[in-house]
Amino acid sequence: MKRRKADLLPAIFDESSDSIEVVVPFLADCDADEDFSAGIDRMEPAIPILPLRNMVLFPGVAMPVIIGRPKSMRLIKDVLKKKMLVGVVTQKDTDTQDPEMADLYNIGVVADVVKMLEMPNGATTVILQGKRRFELNEITGSEPYLRGKITLFEDAVPKTGDREFEALILTIKDLTVKILSAIAEPPRDLVFSIRNNRNALYMVNFSCSNIPGGAVEKQELLLIGNLKERAYQLLFILNRECQLLELKNSIQMKTHEDINQQQREYFLQQQIKNIQEELGVNIHELEIKELRAKGALKKWPLAVASIFEKEVRKLERLHPQSPDFSMQVQYVQTIVNLPWNEYSQDNFNIKRAQRILDRDHYGLEKVKERIIEHLAVLKLKGDLKSPIICLYGPPGVGKTSLGKSIAEALNRKYARMSLGGMHDEAEIRGHRRTYIGAMCGRIIQNIQKAGTSNPVFILDEIDKLSSDFKGDPASALLEVLDPEQNSAFHDNYLDIDYDLSKVMFIATANNLNTISQPLLDRMELIEVSGYIMEEKVRIATRHLIPKQMEQHGLTKDTAKFNREALETIISSYTRESGVRELEKKIAQVIRKLARKKASDEEVPGIIKNANLQEYLGTIEYSHDKYQGNDEYAGVVTGLAWTAVGGEILFVESSLSKGKGSKLTVTGNLGDVMKESAVLALEYIHSHAAHFDIPEEMFEQWNVHLHVPEGAIPKDGPSAGITMVTSLVSAFTQRKVRSHIAMTGEITLRGKILPVGGIKEKILAARRAGIKDLILCKENKRNIDEINPDYLKGLSFHYFDDIRDVVAFALLKDKVDNPLF
């Protein structure tokens, strides 16, 4: 075999044990018919076995191995001394220090020890030349090194002229060169030797030795005796490794391109900067010129113009690389971007404004009237401080959405600021410029965003403000919402007084009890009460149904809701003062219709009560109905207000024999209602003769007053006259007039006082089938404000004295089964 200078490939290190074996295969020039098994006749019956780790030797391949184990060192010395052949096998586990038969693969290669080299670092390196494959049958001895009996194998080489095998060898050569080039740039003579080597057995085995895979995969290749099959399996592995290397290189190239792009942009920026410096152009000077040009167009007061000029001069003196430069630029930009004395032109068309307000919101007459009044005065006077309005009422009645309609009616810009959960005073007043990251407050930010100094500004959820160690935002709002102070609002960041007097502030709240009194004093309070049944039906017909039809991709003619179905949804599927839950239920029905239409099913033209449960399921809420009380005395219907609307309330009184003077009150009542019960009993006791109640009854009978649904807390003074009527009915056993309800507070003198929530209570009365309502005379003004169409079927009776109430509410007849 002719040899030339060897070319080394990357080594494979095994760092998991004390003895290290490194394989670096040689590539030799071979003849096409060269026989690698020459000298195999020197093989002894029991051949020395050299176990190697992390590497596999193939026939014809020469590779250096660093010897580290004492047994291996003794074996090499004996083999060189006696000129014997050695059987090279691979260990299954690289961590095994002294392997036995079970620790070795049974297929190996008979090798010749060509040379032993002493390395400068003290290690011993031997060069092994593979000859033929063998099978290890048994281990005959383990001292001083392993010896074993083997059976030799002959590799099946395809015949000369097999074109398929020749193409296979050429492909393997190309892929081998490609892999070597991807790992490191190989020497030219190594590439030349691979491409021109004519020995197919040697070429396949050389490539098998150098695949990037591990020893297990190489051992599987060594098991294949047919050279053509081994070449096909090798080709599969080489293709896989080529793809992995290409993917790795692609990832590296992308990363490299990203870095190059960043560097390119940096260099271009530096070049632009250098070019501008050569031309005498300064970027920062251009920016300052732009700020001055903007400032020249502003209509600001002289004091603001003076401050702006001062700050720009300060900016000119700062070095562009100074950390204060960007902060100063931001501050000057804030000043110049504010709409100083810039106002949108109000549209004084009163009828147009009324039409827009009526189009977008049904009801809310007080709010609309206040806006129209403001617009009328503004039209006549030409200059007027904008009002600060606070709309308060239950959720879902349209307080927040009203702002956009008002802005459109007045032809003003719209700004909104949510105050829910705000607890930092700096959100209102801004931060001092000395802080890092300082900015102006949200009031000034929204004014800047609106672009005018007279927008409609919605302060949403003003009752949800909170305070902590960062300050009290509610107190900071005092200056904003005070018409006498907000003409010179001071923002900490801006540090210049700004005129907010032309801004129309509209605050919204659900509960006034959580708003501080000084803040309430600065606002004009307008109550937005809940909607009654008729109003909800009209809102659903005019606004909610068309809106949901459009949002769900349906036309207005797809389906219609009849009035009975809408009333059922309102009364049996929602419990609220507003219409938010109603809109959700309507959307639920329309989603079912959209699904039917998308599935090409028949869509009903009209939504009726009959098919309502198909869309919304079973009824969710059942409202109390009037119950006849011919058989029992002491049962009177009252009216109550809740956060989700009005409800009827039954007050029941009963008497039981006892020592007397004992009053029991049940039904989860609050302190006010308990006091009303005591007050009612004491009033009746002191006026017993007027009601024809014998005095001795108070000594012989105990009184029990109960309000049903004890799991629900109830409180308030409006059940006073109801309790008196109930107790008088119980003491006299007189019938209560049918279909009657009442509400009002009483005093110890028997006077009736007005109560609130009249509109919601009337809605509850109509829903329960009540026909007669008893109210305080002062509550008549509340009835006069309600649309007469909503009062049809109801009779109102107004009284000042509780005795008149009892005389009207109780009949002369006694119940069917009186106690006495």
Side-chain angles (χ1 to χ4, degrees), residues 8-14 21-25 54 64 66 210 218:
L8 299 181
L9 295 177
I12 302 173
F13 292 90
D14 174 20
E21 292 153 354
V22 182
V23 56
V24 185
N54 212 18
I66 297 178
N210 290 281
K218 293 179 182 179

Side-chain angles (χ1 to χ4, degrees), residues 16 76 96 98 382 409 448 528 532 684 718 740:
S16 58
I76 294 299
T96 305
D98 195 4
Q448 183 175 329
V528 184
I532 63 176
I684 295 170
S718 62
I740 192 171

Side-chain angles (χ1 to χ4, degrees), residues 481-608:
L481 300 182
D482 191 340
E484 302 299 326
Q485 298 182 43
N486 63 9
S487 59
F489 172 69
H490 188 84
D491 184 274
N492 289 332
Y493 178 80
L494 189 62
D495 205 22
I496 306 173
D497 291 342
Y498 194 86
D499 185 6
L500 298 178
S501 62
K502 301 296 189 298
V503 178
M504 177 176 280
F505 287 103
I506 300 177
T508 69
N510 298 129
N511 185 9
L512 297 181
N513 296 331
T514 57
I515 304 176
S516 64
Q517 190 59 42
L519 198 56
L520 279 177
D521 187 55
R522 285 163 168 79
M523 297 186 293
E524 183 178 342
L525 302 179
I526 299 178
E527 182 181 5
V528 184
S529 58
Y531 300 109
I532 63 176
M533 175 71 76
E534 285 75 6
E535 291 175 330
K536 288 186 178 181
V537 170
R538 294 196 182 187
I539 290 171
T541 305
R542 291 172 51 177
H543 300 286
L544 304 183
I545 295 175
K547 174 184 173 184
Q548 291 301 322
M549 285 284 190
E550 182 182 354
Q551 288 185 356
H552 290 83
L554 301 178
T555 61
K556 295 180 181 179
D557 301 329
T558 303
K560 297 185 182 299
F561 290 72
N562 65 12
R563 183 182 178 87
E564 291 74 17
L566 285 174
E567 289 179 350
T568 303
I569 295 175
I570 293 166
S571 60
S572 301
Y573 290 93
T574 65
R575 178 169 284 184
E576 59 176 349
S577 292
V579 292
R580 190 170 289 150
E581 189 68 24
L582 174 60
E583 185 175 10
K584 293 178 184 176
K585 295 299 179 184
I586 291 173
Q588 184 176 342
V589 175
I590 294 177
R591 283 198 301 272
K592 298 288 194 303
L593 298 178
R595 178 180 176 179
K596 285 189 174 185
K597 187 169 183 179
S599 304
D600 296 327
E601 300 178 15
E602 185 180 354
V603 178
I606 299 177
I607 306 299
K608 304 178 181 178

Side-chain angles (χ1 to χ4, degrees), residues 125-140:
T125 300
V126 295
I127 298 176
L128 301 177
Q129 173 74 48
K131 291 186 174 296
R132 282 177 61 181
R133 297 184 311 118
F134 71 81
E135 180 181 8
L136 179 62
N137 298 321
E138 63 174 317
I139 296 295
T140 57

Side-chain angles (χ1 to χ4, degrees), residues 260-525:
N260 285 347
Q261 181 65 21
Q262 293 177 5
Q263 291 175 342
R264 180 172 176 272
E265 290 176 358
Y266 173 76
F267 289 135
L268 287 174
Q269 292 289 346
Q270 291 298 317
Q271 287 176 359
I272 291 172
K273 184 178 177 180
N274 293 335
I275 292 169
Q276 288 173 340
E277 288 178 356
E278 289 294 329
L279 293 174
V281 178
N282 190 309
I283 299 176
H284 302 295
E285 287 182 1
L286 289 176
E287 189 173 10
I288 293 171
K289 285 181 180 179
E290 289 177 4
L291 291 173
R292 286 190 183 277
K294 284 184 179 181
L297 301 176
K298 286 293 177 180
K299 303 174 184 177
W300 45 31
L302 291 176
V304 179
S306 174
I307 294 173
F308 172 75
E309 183 61 28
K310 176 184 175 183
E311 295 298 331
V312 170
R313 288 179 181 176
K314 181 179 178 182
L315 181 63
E316 290 174 335
R317 291 194 298 269
L318 287 173
H319 192 277
Q321 302 300 326
S322 169
D324 292 336
F325 183 82
S326 59
M327 296 170 59
Q328 185 68 13
V329 169
Q330 180 184 350
Y331 176 67
V332 176
Q333 286 177 343
T334 302
I335 296 176
V336 81
N337 288 333
L338 278 171
W340 301 91
N341 293 329
E342 296 177 20
Y343 304 102
S344 57
Q345 186 65 39
D346 290 332
N347 190 328
F348 295 116
N349 190 329
I350 304 295
K351 292 182 178 179
R352 173 184 173 274
Q354 184 71 56
R355 189 168 57 251
I356 291 173
L357 293 174
D358 290 338
R359 179 199 67 191
D360 295 341
H361 290 81
Y362 184 80
L364 306 178
E365 301 302 333
K366 287 185 179 180
V367 186
K368 296 176 183 177
E369 184 180 358
R370 182 65 184 87
I371 300 304
I372 297 300
E373 288 172 356
H374 172 72
L375 188 59
V377 175
L378 196 61
K379 179 179 180 180
L380 296 176
K381 188 174 182 294
D383 183 25
L384 180 69
K385 287 187 176 180
S386 291
I388 287 125
I389 298 171
C390 179
L391 307 178
Y392 69 96
V397 295
K399 300 185 298 296
T400 303
S401 60
L402 191 65
K404 287 187 178 180
S405 301
I406 295 174
E408 184 182 353
L410 297 177
N411 196 31
R412 292 190 179 188
K413 297 292 186 179
Y414 172 77
R416 177 182 170 272
M417 175 179 173
S418 178
L419 301 176
M422 185 182 293
H423 52 78
D424 189 356
E425 182 184 339
E427 293 281 348
I428 306 295
R429 292 186 178 276
H431 302 81
R432 298 282 182 187
R433 289 171 58 195
T434 52
Y435 293 109
I436 296 176
M439 58 172 41
C440 52
R442 290 176 61 184
I443 300 289
I444 296 297
Q445 286 181 30
N446 280 282
I447 295 292
Q448 183 175 329
K449 192 184 300 182
T452 64
S453 293
N454 64 337
V456 174
F457 202 122
I458 303 297
L459 297 171
D460 211 5
E461 307 288 357
I462 197 170
D463 57 327
K464 307 298 190 301
L465 283 172
S466 59
S467 60
D468 61 5
F469 65 94
K470 297 179 182 178
D472 183 8
S475 299
L477 277 176
L478 294 178
E479 183 184 3
V480 176
L481 300 182
D482 191 340
E484 302 299 326
Q485 298 182 43
N486 63 9
S487 59
F489 172 69
H490 188 84
D491 184 274
N492 289 332
Y493 178 80
L494 189 62
D495 205 22
I496 306 173
D497 291 342
Y498 194 86
D499 185 6
L500 298 178
S501 62
K502 301 296 189 298
V503 178
M504 177 176 280
F505 287 103
I506 300 177
T508 69
N510 298 129
N511 185 9
L512 297 181
N513 296 331
T514 57
I515 304 176
S516 64
Q517 190 59 42
L519 198 56
L520 279 177
D521 187 55
R522 285 163 168 79
M523 297 186 293
E524 183 178 342
L525 302 179

